[in-house]
Amino acid sequence: MDSGSFIGRNYRIWQRIQTAVELIYPPRCLGCGELTEADFGLCGACWRDTPFIGGVVCESCGVPLPGEVDGHRIECDDCMKTARPWQDGRAALMYDGKARALILALKHGDRPELAKPAARWMAQAGRDLFRENMLIAPVPLHWSRLIKRRYNQSALLAQHLGRDTGIEVCPDLLHRRARTPVLDGKTAAQRAETLAGAISAHPRQGSRIKGRDILLVDDVMTSGATLTACARACHAAGANHIFVLVLARVAKDA
């Protein structure tokens, strides 16, 4: 049997295996569980109810803004009021409706498979951020929470994003030295105070930061306090430019 016939035979066998798997486990919508045409997708109704971000956005945090691009840097009120310690930021979704349900399922509902399609949405939203020799770093989770949750959702997003973009990923580039309390319900100032000194470059990975552009990845950005702490840790370790890419952005009116 020549190599062409062998490859063709193996491909036909693989197609039959895929067909059998699809018959047993047909693809279902990530949002509602209804049958869909492809794995890791959304049905038409869930797609319409998922608040993807498009059009004009704040160049620092990715929140959607009214108006048109005019050639000048565009920022939201929050980012104009408080300068961010990173260069640019983007978000794929608004943290609302179906998006909020999907993120909570990824974060607390033991649904790590959601990270794969979510990273694809992030890759599309963050396409203007990617740079040569960039290093992707997820927001770190304290070890005690990691044991309880079993995985860091930000690290999963970073790993899939790296595969989709070809950018190098360092899952433990940053280290959360202290277990901070839950930030829900705290003001921006309280969040910043809580995180002061809690995050640093990992002792074994700090040399990889110096002189490089860093892309920080997280699931949700609210005030930006956690990402600020991460960006400052990267700057302290000698990073070049910092960029931020999150799955979802919380807006004031949300």
Side-chain angles (χ1 to χ4, degrees), residues 17 28 45 50 61 67 75 82 84 97 100 102 110 114 117 127 130 147-148 153 160 206 241 246:
I17 293 172
R28 294 187 177 276
T50 302
C61 74
E75 290 187 325
T82 304
R84 307 294 187 180
R100 184 175 184 274
L102 287 170
D110 199 22
L114 295 176
R127 60 191 180 279
F130 306 141
I147 290 174
K148 182 178 180 181
Q153 72 280 356
H160 286 293
H241 298 299
V246 299

Side-chain angles (χ1 to χ4, degrees), residues 23-253:
L23 288 173
I24 300 171
Y25 303 105
R28 294 187 177 276
C29 172
L30 295 171
C32 66
E34 291 295 319
L35 294 176
T36 58
E37 294 183 358
D39 286 324
F40 306 112
L42 295 170
C43 67
C46 286
W47 184 271
R48 289 191 300 271
D49 292 340
T50 302
F52 288 94
I53 294 175
V56 179
V57 300
C58 171
E59 294 182 46
S60 289
C61 74
V63 72
L65 296 173
E68 298 180 358
V69 176
D70 59 5
H72 298 282
R73 185 173 181 85
I74 300 173
E75 290 187 325
C76 67
D77 291 343
D78 283 349
C79 291
M80 286 192 291
K81 180 180 177 181
T82 304
R84 307 294 187 180
W86 59 79
Q87 183 165 315
D88 295 311
R90 295 291 187 274
L93 308 165
M94 292 302 299
Y95 189 64
D96 196 18
K98 283 286 184 183
R100 184 175 184 274
L102 287 170
I103 292 167
L104 288 175
L106 168 63
K107 193 169 185 175
H108 301 296
D110 199 22
R111 295 283 307 279
E113 74 277 6
L114 295 176
K116 183 175 182 178
R120 291 176 183 168
W121 302 335
M122 293 171 70
Q124 178 65 21
R127 60 191 180 279
D128 295 333
L129 306 181
F130 306 141
R131 302 289 190 272
E132 187 177 353
N133 197 35
M134 177 176 265
L135 186 61
I136 296 176
V139 168
L141 199 63
H142 190 261
W143 66 266
S144 59
R145 286 204 171 97
L146 184 60
I147 290 174
K148 182 178 180 181
R149 199 176 295 173
R150 296 191 303 109
Y151 59 84
N152 177 358
Q153 72 280 356
S154 298
L156 290 180
L157 291 169
Q159 288 167 352
H160 286 293
L161 183 66
R163 294 189 188 106
D164 289 341
T165 62
I167 299 174
E168 183 183 356
V169 180
C170 184
D172 60 345
L173 192 71
L174 298 174
H175 170 62
R176 192 179 287 256
R177 296 185 294 184
R179 176 170 179 166
T180 53
V182 175
L183 300 178
D184 292 348
K186 294 183 180 292
T187 66
Q190 289 170 334
R191 288 167 180 256
E193 182 180 358
T194 299
L195 288 162
I199 297 173
S200 63
H202 197 289
R204 293 197 303 270
Q205 304 294 356
S207 61
R208 301 178 67 180
I209 299 176
K210 192 171 183 178
R212 297 183 72 173
D213 291 338
I214 306 296
L215 179 65
L216 297 173
V217 169
D218 203 3
D219 55 347
V220 180
M221 176 181 173
T222 305
S223 70
T226 303
L227 289 161
T228 291
C230 291
R232 287 175 176 163
C234 289
H235 280 306
N240 185 25
H241 298 299
I242 310 295
F243 300 86
V244 165
L245 181 57
V246 299
L247 177 54
R249 176 73 167 97
V250 176
K252 279 187 175 181
D253 60 356

